[in-house]
Amino acid sequence: EIMAIVKEMSDEEAFDAMITENLQRQDVDPMEEAFAFGQLQKKGSSIQDIALRFGKSIRFVQDRIKLNSLIPELMKEVKEDNMPISAAMVICKVDEERQRAYFKQYKENHYQGFTTATATSFVKALFLNLTDAVWNNVPDFAGGCDTSCALCPHNTANHGCLFYEMKAKDG
């Protein structure tokens, strides 16, 4: 004999109770949390409600839900502690094709493996950061139009106001 409370529930209530009980374990891993939060959101709970209910920040819940966009291979690496959650948070922001490229590059051909540093470096290489651009810190740089960026009328940094038409007229 065991002490138990028997309660009739609808399928929705039973699902909700199961998710809640699962998330209250001490050893819940980030991918389980991501799945559970994602399921609650799909069933109609708002991110704010989920955060309040489980005592988490809205940002935390949003980040966990975003982990659901990882490809299965990377989810497995997180679950097996081969990839830190910080690296997963960086990689989950890129599309499936790029995630597969990251997985292939760092699983098979790289001694460093799945780290926050490799994830950050991989994602940074995908995008042009203006501070790393060729023309940064070169005042007389002229692009393909032979106009110095410092004088270019299309460069918003040359306007006192973001909206050019609102710029004060001289004289």
Side-chain angles (χ1 to χ4, degrees), residues 112-130:
Q112 288 180 303
F114 304 115
T115 65
T116 305
T118 61
T120 302
S121 175
F122 181 85
V123 171
K124 186 177 181 182
L126 296 174
F127 303 99
L128 174 62
N129 185 333
L130 290 179

Side-chain angles (χ1 to χ4, degrees), residues 1-6:
E1 274 186 40
I2 61 166
M3 299 276 294
I5 298 173
V6 177

Side-chain angles (χ1 to χ4, degrees), residues 1 13-14 34 50 61 63 70 74 76-77 81 101 105 107-108 112-113 119 122 134-135 143 159 166:
E1 274 186 40
E13 291 170 326
I50 296 168
V61 173
D63 286 348
L70 283 173
L74 289 175
K76 182 179 177 196
E77 296 298 329
D81 288 329
Q105 181 175 344
K107 179 66 174 180
E108 300 168 4
Q112 288 180 303
F122 181 85
V134 177
W135 60 85
H159 304 291
M166 294 173 60

Side-chain angles (χ1 to χ4, degrees), residues 23 27-28 41 75 78 92 94 105 108 117 127-128 148 156:
L23 287 175
D27 62 342
V28 65
Q41 186 182 35
M75 285 182 179
V78 173
C92 75
V94 297
Q105 181 175 344
E108 300 168 4
F127 303 99
L128 174 62
S148 165
T156 57

